[in-house]
Amino acid sequence: MRDYTKFYIDGKWVEPAAGAKTLDVINPADESVAGRISLGTAADVDAAAKAAHRAFQTFSRTSREERIALLERIIEEYKKRFDDMAAAITEEMGAPTVLAQRAQAPMGVGHLQTALNVLKNYKFEEERGGTIIVKEPIGVCGFITPWNWPVNQIACKVAPALATGCTMVLKPSEIAPFSGQIFAEIMDAAGVPAGVFNLVNGDGPTVGAAISSHPLIDMVSFTGSTRAGIEVAKNAAPTVKRVHQELGGKSPNIILDDADFDRAVSGGVRSVMNNSGQSCNAPTRMLVPAARMEEAINIARAAAEATVVGKPQDKVTIGPVVSETQFKKIQGLIQKGVDEGATLVAGGPGRPEGLDKGYYVKPTVFANVTNEMTIAKEEIFGPVLSIIGYKDVDEAVRIGNDTEYGLAAYVSGSDPAKIREVASRLRAGQVILNGAAPDLMAPFGGYKMSGNGREWGDHAFGEFLEVKAVLGAPKQAAE
C-alpha cells in the first residue's frame, strides 16, 4: 500500500501542519484501499505559497538557457519513471494498462517536450519603434488538477509555467494523487530549485479554496467541473488574480450524410468509450441524419458490444470509472435516459455481467434522443453516448451549439469545403475533423461554460506571462 502522507514544500518532503487528517485512496477496479494521503490545510498552502514567492525572486530572473536545461533534466527523469507513472495511473483511476502506457503516461512527457521546443524560440521581447513590449512571468501559480487524465493535466500546466519562469503550488486530485506524488519525485530528482515546485494534497473546499484565495498566488489554473470552476473564480475574485479554467463539455459529433458512415459512427462510439467516458472533450452527442437513424443504431450497437469492460490489467477496452460517487451518478443518468424515453441501444443500468466488485459501467448507447433530454444536456462523464437525429445541416449546427458548453466539437464528411464550413459555425474551442489525431501544439480550451484561456503548445505560455510596455527605451550600444 502506498503511503504518501508528506508534502513537497521548498525542496523538501515535510510533515503536514497540525490538524491534518488522512484519506484512504481507493482502487476503483476492486474497491480496495490502495494507499493513503494527508489532507492539507490552509496552513500547508500558506507555507507552500511563501516558499514559491521566495523562489520567484530568483527563478523569474533565470535565462532561457537555464530553463531549457531544467526541462531537459525533468524529461530525462520522467522517462526513468515512465513505467512507475503508468502503473500509478492504472491503480489510482482504473485506466487499462495499455491506455496508461500508450496514452496517459505519454501525455506527461509530451507536454514537457512541447514546452521545451516552444521555449527554444519563444519571443519574450518585441521592439515597436521606441517601445519594447516585454513578456514577463506572472508570478506564483496555483494549480488544481483532476483525476481523469491526471498527469496530462499536471504537465500541461507545470511545463509552460516553468518554461516562462513562474513558480507554483500544485494540488492534484485527492481521488487520484499517486501520479502527482511521482511527478513531484521526478521534479526533485531533476534538481528543480527549492520552492519553484510545491505539492500539497487535499480536497477542494479546503486546499483548493486556500490556493484560489491566497494573496501570494498570482494566478490559478483549474481543470474540473464547471460547478467547481465557478467556486474557484469566486474565491479568487477578492485578490484579483488571473483565473484560467478548463471545465466541462458536452461535445457534438456531427456526422454529415456524405461521411463514411460506418467509420464515423463506430469511431464516434469508440471515442466516447475511451477512458471509460471520462474525458471532458468526449463526443457524447452524436448527430446523424434522421433518415439514417436505424443505420446509425445498428453500427453503434455493434461498436458498443465490441467494447470489452474488465480489470485494467487484462486485455480490455475500458476499465472502471474512478469512484463510487461517479458510478452512482452515471447509473442515475442512465436510468434517467430510460425514464425520459430514449431508445436504449446497448448497455443500460447496472454492472456488466461477471463484474460484481469495482466501479464498472456497461458501455451504453441511447438513440432517438432529443436535445432537451437530461442525458443530452448534462455531462455524464461515463461511457454513455446519445444519438440525436437532424433533418438538415442547419439544424445539426443549431443542435450542436444548443448547449451551455463549448469545449470541443467533431465533424465527419467527405467534402473538405463543407466540413470546414460546418466547423466555422460551431461554438467550440477545438473542432476535430474526420477523427483527426491530437496535436500537442493545438490550443486546448473552451467557449461559454467550458472555461476561459488556453492550454497546450505556444498558446499556453500566454497564460503565465504578464505584458509590460517599456516606452522611450534607449537603443542598446552595438556589441
Side-chain angles (χ1 to χ4, degrees):
M1 187 175 81
R2 299 173 189 256
D3 190 273
Y4 293 157
T5 52
K6 292 184 178 181
F7 302 147
Y8 188 72
I9 298 175
D10 207 13
K12 300 182 290 291
W13 291 100
V14 300
E15 296 290 344
K21 299 178 181 178
T22 59
L23 176 73
D24 288 340
V25 180
I26 305 301
N27 184 331
D30 58 14
E31 304 179 45
S32 65
V33 177
R36 63 173 187 154
I37 60 169
S38 296
L39 293 175
T41 64
D44 297 300
V45 173
D46 186 59
K50 286 176 178 174
H53 182 70
R54 289 191 300 271
F56 181 74
Q57 310 312 312
T58 52
F59 189 69
S60 62
R61 305 296 295 174
T62 53
S63 68
R64 183 195 306 266
E65 290 69 29
E66 287 174 302
R67 298 196 298 277
I68 286 172
L70 177 59
L71 284 168
E72 288 175 340
R73 295 199 304 273
I74 294 169
I75 291 168
E76 182 181 353
E77 293 298 330
Y78 190 107
K79 289 178 179 178
K80 293 178 185 177
R81 299 295 302 275
F82 184 92
D83 288 342
D84 294 339
M85 181 67 77
I89 293 169
T90 292
E91 189 174 12
E92 68 188 356
M93 57 80 61
T97 300
V98 67
L99 181 69
Q101 285 276 347
R102 296 182 184 177
Q104 290 267 6
M107 290 297 282
V109 73
H111 286 301
L112 289 162
Q113 187 65 56
T114 299
L116 172 61
N117 294 340
V118 171
L119 175 59
K120 289 177 180 179
N121 298 296
Y122 193 82
K123 291 185 177 180
F124 290 97
E125 287 192 10
E126 175 190 353
E127 290 192 24
R128 294 183 182 177
T131 298
I132 301 176
I133 309 301
V134 184
K135 296 177 181 178
E136 299 181 339
I138 194 169
V140 179
C141 304
F143 296 146
I144 304 170
T145 59
W147 45 260
N148 59 320
W149 286 86
V151 78
N152 169 72
Q153 287 305 131
I154 291 172
C156 77
K157 299 179 193 300
V158 170
L162 285 175
T164 53
C166 295
T167 60
M168 62 213 69
V169 179
L170 167 68
K171 187 201 89 68
S173 169
E174 70 275 22
I175 297 172
F178 298 161
S179 50
Q181 171 86 12
I182 292 173
F183 193 88
E185 292 171 358
I186 290 168
M187 300 288 274
D188 186 59
V192 175
V196 170
F197 172 88
N198 303 273
L199 177 143
V200 177
N201 283 313
D203 60 21
T206 306
V207 172
I211 287 174
S212 303
S213 61
H214 200 286
L216 292 182
I217 292 180
D218 301 288
M219 75 89 71
V220 61
S221 180
F222 170 83
T223 300
S225 70
T226 298
R227 176 198 57 76
I230 291 169
E231 290 304 309
V232 167
K234 288 179 178 178
N235 291 330
T239 52
V240 199
K241 57 171 57 70
R242 185 180 299 176
V243 178
H244 165 261
Q245 301 163 310
E246 196 266 280
L247 308 177
K250 196 68 181 177
S251 302
N253 180 9
I254 298 176
I255 300 177
L256 300 175
D257 197 39
D258 65 350
D260 180 336
F261 215 68
D262 184 76
R263 179 175 178 271
V265 173
S266 59
V269 173
R270 287 193 296 271
S271 186
V272 170
M273 302 306 164
N274 185 48
N275 205 39
S276 299
Q278 299 169 127
S279 297
C280 50
N281 62 340
T284 50
R285 291 184 298 144
M286 181 181 288
L287 279 67
V288 302
R292 302 182 71 176
M293 178 63 75
E294 286 305 313
E295 183 182 356
I297 286 173
N298 291 332
I299 298 168
R301 179 185 293 114
E305 290 176 349
T307 303
V308 180
V309 188
K311 296 178 180 179
Q313 292 78 13
D314 296 341
K315 292 183 178 180
V316 298
T317 314
I318 63 174
V321 296
V322 74
S323 67
E324 182 180 16
T325 298
Q326 283 298 118
F327 176 81
K328 289 180 177 178
K329 174 194 171 186
I330 295 163
Q331 292 298 317
L333 286 166
I334 291 173
Q335 187 59 53
K336 194 80 168 176
V338 173
D339 295 343
E340 292 184 358
T343 301
L344 183 61
V345 171
R351 287 180 170 87
E353 187 176 351
L355 294 169
D356 299 325
K357 199 169 187 62
Y359 308 123
Y360 299 95
V361 177
K362 297 175 184 176
T364 298
V365 175
F366 286 102
N368 297 307
V369 176
T370 67
N371 211 43
E372 292 69 39
M373 291 181 180
T374 304
I375 55 172
K377 295 172 76 70
E378 292 193 19
E379 186 178 36
I380 299 173
F381 231 60
V384 183
L385 169 67
S386 296
I387 305 179
I388 302 169
Y390 66 86
K391 66 177 184 295
D392 56 31
V393 173
D394 287 342
E395 184 178 47
V397 171
R398 181 188 63 76
I399 294 171
N401 287 333
D402 184 19
T403 172
E404 64 184 14
Y405 298 112
L407 186 58
Y410 299 72
V411 185
S412 293
S414 61
D415 183 341
K418 189 174 182 180
I419 59 174
R420 285 284 302 273
E421 193 271 334
V422 172
S424 72
R425 298 168 64 188
L426 292 169
R427 298 281 294 166
Q430 196 170 89
V431 183
I432 296 90
L433 306 181
N434 287 327
D439 176 0
L440 292 183
M441 281 295 292
F444 188 85
Y447 289 21
K448 301 186 283 187
M449 297 289 277
S450 287
N452 54 72
R454 293 295 181 269
E455 296 183 310
W456 300 27
D458 54 337
H459 278 80
F461 276 44
E463 299 297 326
F464 304 104
L465 294 168
E466 285 284 19
V467 178
K468 176 187 288 182
V470 182
L471 282 67
K475 295 290 185 182
Q476 294 186 11
E479 295 183 358

